[in-house]
Amino acid sequence: MSYKSLKACVDDLARNGHLVRVAEEVDPCLEMAEIQRRLYAAGGPAVLFERVRNTAFPAVANLFGTPERCQFLFRHTLERVRKILQLKADPAAAIRHPLTFASAPLTAWKSLPKKVRGGAVLEHTASISDLPAIKSWPDDGGPFITLPQVYTEDPLQPKTLTSNLGMYRVQLSGNDYENDREVGLHYQIHRGIGVHHAAAIEKGEPLKVSIFVGGPPAHTLAAVMPMPEGLSELIFAGMLAGRRFRLARKNGYAISADADFCIVGTIEPGAAKPEGPFGDHLGYYSLQHDFPVLKVEGVYHRRDAIWPFTVVGRPPQEDTSFGALIHELTAPLVPREIPGLHAMHAVDAAGVHPLMLAVGSERYVPYAERQPRELLTTANALLGFSQASLAKYLFIAAQEDDAALDASDIENFLRHVFERVDFERDLHFQTRTTIDTLDYSGTGLNTGSKLVIAAAGEKKRELDTALPAGLNLPAGFDDPRLALPGVLIVRAPAGGGGEDAQDFSSHLADSGISGGIALVVLTEDSEFCARNTRNFLWVTFTRSNPSHDLHGAGSFIEHKHWGCKGPIVIDARIKPHHAPPLLEDAAVTKRVDALASKGGPLHGII
């Protein structure tokens, strides 16, 4: 079925056992967010909060909380969307399998956005302060919209099909914003809205912005979908919704006629104010920085409007479900976009952009001993490809060494790489470059380094599956533990820096460490880091900047190439310039415990 509104979706979920309603009043300041996090962790249903304190609007959470619910929401359209994307990846498939893809052109044509004269969203007006003020983490700068669809058009070519629909967080109040007149608009590096904003600044005119909230869930997913070249987010939304994206116009602004809410306004050239902090998807706060400020000109809403929200934090969270569905849909496009690349996997547990795993081909010199050559070409292309360009650590391996190599099987993939990597040859750095805006391991906002670790050829080592016998660590370094085969975690003095990490690396040659250890991670809490793979990935790759925090035993520089005899050492301790990790408020936790206790409205749900 195609949902004409968010209410239609909520009612459908309720009928089919995917949603519960909570009639008791809940607090949008921290309490609702903690409930949502627990719902997601428990694999629970979507929840409609019918009474939200200080607002007349109900709110729905955990809509996309499980892969099964995502499949349910789009059960009537996913297969058609898959065919369209498969056809875009391989146009010749239509000739080889004409019956399979016969409906694809009609599906795309019937999904073109539709111009309409009005819509339910325009029936009522409100102020920003009337909206649910949902605050997710104690040190957030204020309430945020966490599932916005931010719509802009290119000032040089203001056309619907060249528009951008993206999900960029919106701060509703706090800091220096004028109440009801200004909201903060945070967009990160490498986002489509940036191109439109730059064009408006060049023309010396305001950028018109429309922020849609709610509507069919396909519209929300389209806002986070990394679209292939030539496919509009609005067309994708229409295909996935099974209903054309309806756009109206009012006072020169685009309005999603099926949305629950729409905020419109302008960004004046040079207009910026401090935005944040905000608890983000790496598991830390993104700190306060100047970002564009939107001058609000209008707030519209439906009569039966529902406010959808999510909470981001240390993975996995609800956006993990987004990512899994997006990866499934876009996987066929990857080999066509980058020749020689078979698969790539942005590791959710490491915060997505800090760690990427990829499988490529190594065919350049088949008559000689195989080593990474084509893999390096592929790695460079990958680091210039869409949002993959934000990867900080890129591990890439040759498919020829293992036809079953799977980039999503993280433990086996890392074992494969560490068995084969030549640390004197196969470490390739990019320094003073861009990294994810939300990653504070670097030297400044958007600024850090990248490391490509490439592996091809025969095994070079057997990885240790137990601690090396006779291991001798320098003073202040203790509690060694294995996280994975060949991966040693060591407790190091808190607050240390590069100097003691370098001294530790120099000591390794005389420490009794075996050739079966490929990676040593230094951290304040080795038990936590080694407890499970999820902890190892999060600590190691979110808390390190390759150029500053990677060291190695027997390191050298030869003609500007850095290498080492091995193992490599990553200093993953928290540094003074890092953003603080996300911690819940104890008093709020106690309140939510009461809601979940026997007799409480959420008993048996969270």
Side-chain angles (χ1 to χ4, degrees):
M1 66 185 298
S2 60
Y3 299 123
K4 295 182 179 180
S5 66
L6 180 56
K7 184 178 185 303
C9 170
V10 165
D11 291 344
D12 183 47
L13 290 176
R15 283 193 302 270
N16 288 279
H18 289 284
L19 181 139
V20 296
R21 301 172 189 270
V22 174
E24 184 166 328
E25 185 180 75
V26 289
D27 192 340
C29 183
L30 304 182
E31 187 174 281
M32 290 171 64
E34 182 155 347
I35 292 170
Q36 194 280 335
R37 288 192 292 270
R38 294 198 198 185
L39 277 169
Y40 178 81
V47 170
L48 180 71
F49 298 103
E50 296 180 332
R51 294 175 58 209
V52 179
R53 188 169 299 166
N54 298 325
T55 181
F57 300 107
V60 66
N62 214 37
L63 275 176
F64 306 93
T66 66
E68 294 76 19
R69 190 147 60 250
C70 288
Q71 296 285 331
F72 179 84
L73 288 171
F74 309 118
R75 61 195 182 278
H76 299 300
T77 57
L78 265 181
E79 189 55 38
R80 281 179 286 172
V81 172
R82 286 192 189 100
K83 287 180 181 179
I84 292 288
L85 295 178
Q86 288 171 5
L87 197 59
K88 188 159 184 63
D90 181 14
I95 299 174
R96 297 194 304 271
H97 308 287
L99 294 179
T100 300
F101 295 99
S103 63
L106 182 61
T107 298
W109 182 81
K110 290 176 67 176
S111 301
L112 290 171
K114 181 179 181 178
K115 295 180 180 179
V116 295
R117 291 189 176 183
V121 72
L122 291 170
E123 291 176 358
H124 299 275
T125 60
S127 298
I128 295 294
S129 55
D130 296 324
L131 305 176
I134 298 174
K135 183 178 177 180
S136 298
W137 294 98
D139 291 335
D140 281 356
F144 286 81
I145 307 176
T146 52
L147 288 177
Q149 307 153 40
V150 181
Y151 178 92
T152 56
E153 294 178 354
D154 187 346
L156 303 178
Q157 287 185 312
K159 298 178 181 178
T160 301
L161 290 182
T162 57
S163 64
N164 180 74
L165 187 72
M167 189 170 287
Y168 317 115
R169 73 178 188 238
V170 177
Q171 184 170 345
L172 290 173
S173 63
N175 299 345
D176 297 328
Y177 300 122
E178 295 182 40
N179 287 337
D180 288 328
R181 299 183 61 186
E182 295 178 335
V183 297
L185 181 57
H186 174 115
Y187 67 81
Q188 299 156 41
I189 191 171
H190 204 287
R191 296 298 192 268
I193 189 176
V195 176
H196 294 173
H197 193 189
I201 292 172
E202 184 179 348
K203 290 185 69 176
E205 65 182 35
L207 178 67
K208 288 183 178 292
V209 178
S210 302
I211 301 169
F212 314 140
V213 181
H219 295 189
T220 299
L221 188 65
V224 293
M225 181 81 174
M227 300 309 301
E229 192 69 28
L231 183 58
S232 160
E233 290 94 354
L234 302 189
I235 293 178
F236 176 82
M239 291 191 299
L240 192 60
R243 171 182 165 84
R244 295 169 69 181
F245 197 112
R246 284 153 167 75
L247 272 182
R249 296 277 171 178
K250 187 175 180 67
N251 299 331
Y253 290 98
I255 306 289
S256 171
D258 292 333
D260 285 65
F261 301 86
C262 183
I263 302 169
V264 297
T266 59
I267 301 175
E268 300 291 333
K273 284 190 175 183
E275 184 267 359
F278 178 75
D280 235 314
H281 74 257
L282 267 69
Y284 310 91
Y285 286 97
S286 56
L287 303 180
Q288 190 177 92
H289 301 282
D290 283 354
F291 278 96
V293 60
L294 184 79
K295 295 286 187 182
V296 177
E297 291 195 11
V299 180
Y300 307 99
H301 68 91
R302 305 171 62 98
R303 176 183 55 82
D304 55 357
I306 300 172
W307 185 266
F309 76 96
T310 189
V311 183
V312 292
R314 183 189 163 188
Q317 298 289 344
E318 189 177 3
D319 53 357
T320 301
S321 301
F322 280 163
L325 184 57
I326 288 169
H327 178 75
E328 175 195 341
L329 291 172
T330 59
L333 296 167
V334 172
R336 180 170 179 84
E337 296 287 345
I338 302 179
L341 180 66
H342 300 288
M344 65 186 216
H345 178 65
V347 179
D348 182 71
V352 182
H353 295 310
L355 176 63
M356 180 169 289
L357 311 180
V359 179
S361 287
E362 188 49 67
R363 304 164 295 188
Y364 275 6
V365 189
Y367 51 82
E369 178 187 0
R370 289 197 313 108
Q371 60 180 277
R373 293 185 176 93
E374 184 180 2
L375 288 181
L376 300 182
T377 300
T378 303
N380 285 330
L382 190 52
L383 291 177
F385 175 63
S386 187
Q387 292 184 33
S389 64
L390 297 177
K392 184 171 61 174
Y393 287 90
L394 170 58
F395 286 66
I396 186 167
Q399 188 183 58
E400 289 76 8
D401 294 323
D402 181 358
L405 191 60
D406 182 357
S408 63
D409 185 349
I410 298 166
E411 292 185 7
N412 283 332
F413 188 94
L414 291 177
R415 178 198 286 262
H416 176 96
V417 170
F418 287 142
E419 287 174 338
R420 290 165 174 79
V421 61
D422 182 338
F423 292 123
E424 297 188 44
R425 181 192 65 201
D426 296 337
L427 306 176
H428 304 275
F429 290 85
Q430 290 185 14
T431 59
R432 298 187 179 183
T433 186
T434 54
I435 60 173
D436 188 1
T437 304
L438 308 180
D439 189 334
Y440 284 85
S441 66
T443 53
L445 188 66
N446 300 324
T447 305
S449 63
K450 301 179 186 296
L451 173 63
V452 173
I453 299 180
E458 300 296 323
K459 287 186 182 181
K460 295 176 175 58
R461 62 186 64 82
E462 291 294 331
L463 301 177
D464 286 347
T465 55
L467 288 175
L471 181 62
N472 174 32
L473 299 175
F477 295 83
D478 57 19
D479 197 18
R481 298 169 183 260
L482 278 185
L484 295 172
V487 178
L488 179 68
I489 313 298
V490 173
R491 183 168 62 192
E499 188 171 318
D500 69 339
Q502 184 59 52
D503 290 343
F504 174 90
S505 303
S506 300
H507 175 89
L508 282 182
D510 303 316
S511 67
I513 199 163
S514 74
I517 296 295
L519 168 64
V520 181
V521 177
L522 303 180
T523 178
E524 301 90 344
D525 188 345
S526 56
E527 188 281 326
F528 174 82
C529 185
R531 189 182 303 164
N532 52 51
T533 301
R534 176 174 170 249
N535 286 0
F536 157 70
L537 293 168
W538 184 61
V539 169
T540 304
F541 298 104
T542 65
R543 298 180 182 176
S544 60
N545 177 20
S547 62
H548 289 57
D549 296 324
L550 190 136
H551 310 274
S555 63
F556 64 88
I557 297 175
E558 182 179 349
H559 302 303
K560 302 180 180 64
H561 174 79
W562 188 94
C564 65
K565 301 294 183 182
I568 56 173
V569 177
I570 294 179
D571 182 357
R573 289 172 288 182
I574 295 177
K575 320 298 190 302
H577 62 280
H578 287 184
L582 302 177
L583 299 172
E584 292 171 342
D585 182 277
V588 174
T589 297
K590 190 174 181 179
R591 291 205 307 269
V592 175
D593 285 342
L595 294 173
S597 64
K598 190 173 182 179
L602 295 174
H603 179 63
I605 299 174
I606 60 174

